[in-house]
Amino acid sequence: MRVKKMSALALVVAAAGLSLTACTSSGGSSASASAGPSIAASSSTGASSSTSTSGQGSTSSSSSSGSSGSSGSSKGSGTTTQAQSSTSGSKCTTDRLSYSVTASGTKNEIVVNMKNIGSRTCSMHGFPGVQLVGPDGLGDTGPDAARSDATPSTVTVGPGEETRFLLHFSPDTSGSGKTYTRLDVTPPNETISQIANLNDLTITVSATTGSVPDIVVDPVGYHVGSGK
């Protein structure tokens, strides 16, 4: 009977050992199973990160390309602007102009011709400044011309070409007026003037200035035939 009890105890211990082994094996399988998805998720995250990085690289490349295209377009616009500026010409300055005066065919009105003697096209816009000058030089000056109500336009003048403006005056009727033989002309938007001789023409206006100006100037751009 004693031997049988020992055998029974041995069986109990063996059964306990098998149960422990089974638990350990089951726990290991569970841990292994838990580790599997974790690693898979990590791999998936890595793939996603790689894809995202690749996407960012593409976006960056695309953005860089777009920026470069925009910059090129901006430069192109700059080149176009310079070309247009060169074509239209710079402002006509006093030292690039010569003057001559002719009759307009209308009483009390003369035409002042402005010729571009420079080597480049230039442009003008607005009213010239005009002052009457007597035979005794710049010390013998008369009134400044008032501006008419005509609307100015931009005039482009090539080398050797001319543009013109009209000068209107009210002749003296008192018999005591002053006669002028030259004009002191300042081109539009300039500060330096130049003398233009009236030659065979003269302008005689009242020696005293009334409420109505004795001399009035139009803007540049008066057309004679096909001229400017």
Side-chain angles (χ1 to χ4, degrees):
M1 291 297 291
R2 187 176 185 85
V3 172
K4 286 182 180 180
K5 287 183 180 180
M6 288 293 292
S7 298
L9 181 60
L11 287 173
V12 171
V13 171
L18 288 173
S19 176
L20 179 61
T21 302
C23 290
T24 303
S25 175
S26 175
S29 298
S30 176
S32 175
S34 298
S38 177
I39 294 170
S42 176
S43 298
S44 174
T45 304
S48 175
S49 175
S50 174
T51 303
S52 176
T53 302
S54 174
Q56 288 176 353
S58 300
T59 302
S60 175
S61 174
S62 173
S63 176
S64 175
S65 173
S67 176
S68 174
S70 175
S71 176
S73 174
S74 177
K75 289 181 181 178
S77 298
T79 303
T80 302
T81 301
Q82 289 177 348
Q84 289 175 346
S85 177
S86 175
T87 301
S88 63
S90 57
K91 181 182 71 175
C92 294
T93 56
T94 303
D95 59 342
R96 292 168 61 183
L97 297 169
S98 66
Y99 301 96
S100 61
V101 179
T102 57
S104 70
T106 301
K107 188 177 181 181
N108 305 327
E109 183 180 85
I110 62 174
V111 179
V112 180
N113 307 290
M114 309 172 76
K115 183 177 182 179
N116 179 4
I117 58 175
S119 59
R120 296 182 178 181
T121 297
C122 63
S123 61
M124 284 182 276
H125 181 93
F127 292 84
V130 179
Q131 185 179 36
L132 299 178
V133 179
D136 296 333
L138 290 177
D140 183 15
T141 57
D144 291 322
R147 295 179 176 182
S148 71
D149 58 0
T151 302
S153 60
T154 300
V155 178
T156 301
V157 191
E161 294 181 344
E162 293 183 340
T163 187
R164 304 165 181 84
F165 64 87
L166 285 175
L167 194 67
H168 315 269
F169 61 94
S170 301
D172 175 66
T173 56
S174 66
S176 59
K178 173 72 177 178
T179 298
Y180 298 93
T181 59
R182 292 180 288 178
L183 304 174
D184 188 25
V185 181
T186 306
N189 303 306
E190 271 283 86
T191 57
I192 300 174
S193 62
Q194 188 177 142
I195 293 294
N197 291 313
L198 293 175
N199 298 322
D200 296 335
L201 302 174
T202 58
I203 296 176
T204 302
V205 295
S206 175
T208 59
T209 302
S211 57
V212 178
D214 293 323
I215 181 168
V216 177
V217 64
D218 283 346
V220 296
Y222 172 70
H223 292 264
V224 177
S226 59
K228 297 182 182 207

